[in-house]
Amino acid sequence: MAIKVKKGKGILFEAVPDNGQVGMRVGENGRAQYVWPNRMVLPDDILTKLKKDTVPFLYPPPKPIEYQGASWIVNMCADADEYRNALIGLDQAFGDKLPIFNHPRAVAMTRRDLSAKLLDGIPNLIVPKCVRFKADANNSFQKTFEAEGFKYPVLVRPATSQTGRDLVKIDTPFDWVKVYQTHWYGKYHYMTQFVDFQGADGKFTKIRVAFVGDTMFFRGYNPSDTWKIFAAYSDTPTDADLLRYMDKIEEFEKNATLIQVCQEIRRRCGLDFFGIDLGLLDGGRFVLFETNAAMSILRPTIGSADFKIIKPQQDQIERSLRGYMALPAQWQSTEGSSPTVRATFGLEP
């Protein structure tokens, strides 16, 4: 089956997760809506325009499809565990042929264990050791801990978990029972060396940085009383939390060490639109939490605070994204010299 794409138009590449599972929720109109996990998150207006400028491609198609005349591709699949098959398929079909926004080879390298190796050695950045393994026996976790030379404490989470679901911290040999209280059997997991990032003030501070092309934006600041931090400003943000974040923007965007660290991460990752979560250490250093293209950078934040407070920064990021997406020739598309997705995942010599 051949589909002709109008000159100057592109392909919007989406996929069903490898496990075939998507979520459901009731939308504002009272109708059921699909919730696709770990996809690139775009504002509704940008996504609406994008759909007008593209033809859709949902992987895997029921029968082979040949697209003729497409000029570029936007890849919505943002997680290397969730969409491994789709990333392989996209790379094989178009990897060296067209500009691809968030190229599948770059997304593949954001897999937590691969990202840890890719980003190791950046000055002033601590990259914790991370190992991916399949939990298929009662002692899989302990065996991995011992074989890989980990020390307590470690973090354990299932692959595809970007929200912290089933994330546990193992502080002592008596804590392994925590993982057995999750749906662990037969699933791939990550084990990551925990790095204590509690500051002298007693706070655990997470910052988020977003990138549009090579342009950097300070996107979140959350000093917390606990190490387990997910929200950008606070678990239940108040106006004061948002104002605190806005007050920190200029300070962090002038932080030469942070800029150097983040720009080197961007250079190595080669993504077009993505986020970086870092822990703030005393002495001006940082610890890597994660970097991926599935972060909520421009999605409206839910809560009772007045989110108009952060609108100037959000508007700036969105304007940058609109302009950047309109210029496929400037995208960070990975060239043929980079390993294919299949090679990255160890599926070919």
Side-chain angles (χ1 to χ4, degrees), residues 85-275:
N85 293 336
L87 295 173
I88 291 172
L90 176 58
D91 188 35
Q92 289 180 323
F94 298 104
D96 294 326
K97 297 176 182 177
L98 296 175
I100 304 178
F101 190 92
N102 280 351
H103 198 285
R105 297 181 191 178
V107 174
M109 288 302 301
T110 64
R111 204 177 77 179
R112 290 179 185 269
D113 58 325
L114 300 176
S115 178
K117 295 176 182 178
L118 177 70
L119 303 178
D120 190 32
I122 296 176
N124 297 306
L125 177 68
I126 295 176
V127 180
K129 179 179 181 178
C130 180
V131 172
R132 185 176 186 267
F133 65 100
K134 189 173 184 179
D136 53 7
N138 288 337
N139 63 347
S140 293
F141 300 94
Q142 295 92 325
K143 285 179 63 176
T144 299
F145 180 90
E146 295 171 2
E148 297 294 338
F150 282 102
K151 298 179 180 179
Y152 293 105
V154 293
L155 302 177
V156 177
R157 73 171 76 213
T160 75
S161 173
Q162 300 288 3
T163 61
R165 182 178 180 181
D166 289 338
L167 167 65
V168 296
K169 183 167 174 272
I170 308 298
D171 290 292
T172 74
F174 301 101
D175 283 343
W176 292 110
V177 66
K178 293 179 182 179
V179 299
Y180 299 118
Q181 295 170 350
T182 69
H183 301 288
W184 62 273
Y185 184 77
K187 295 181 179 180
Y188 279 95
H189 284 71
Y190 292 108
M191 186 173 294
T192 305
Q193 187 66 60
F194 179 77
V195 175
D196 187 0
F197 62 106
Q198 186 174 25
D201 60 358
K203 296 291 186 179
F204 298 86
T205 301
K206 183 187 86 168
I207 62 173
R208 173 168 291 184
V209 176
F211 269 96
V212 177
D214 59 2
T215 305
M216 170 180 166
F217 298 93
F218 186 58
R219 171 56 180 79
Y221 176 77
N222 188 353
S224 173
D225 293 326
T226 67
W227 66 269
K228 201 172 185 179
I229 310 172
F230 301 115
Y233 318 107
S234 168
D235 288 341
T236 54
T238 63
D239 288 3
D241 295 323
L242 303 184
L243 289 168
R244 178 184 60 196
Y245 155 68
M246 292 297 290
D247 287 341
K248 288 286 184 178
I249 290 177
E250 184 176 0
E251 173 187 336
F252 277 91
E253 290 187 346
K254 289 183 177 180
N255 185 316
T257 302
L258 176 63
I259 292 171
Q260 291 171 0
V261 166
C262 292
Q263 288 290 4
E264 181 61 17
I265 293 175
R266 180 205 61 78
R267 186 189 70 79
R268 295 189 188 189
C269 286
L271 290 163
D272 292 288
F273 181 50
F274 70 108

Side-chain angles (χ1 to χ4, degrees), residues 96 105 334-340:
D96 294 326
R105 297 181 191 178
T334 304
E335 302 298 333
S337 58
S338 299
T340 65

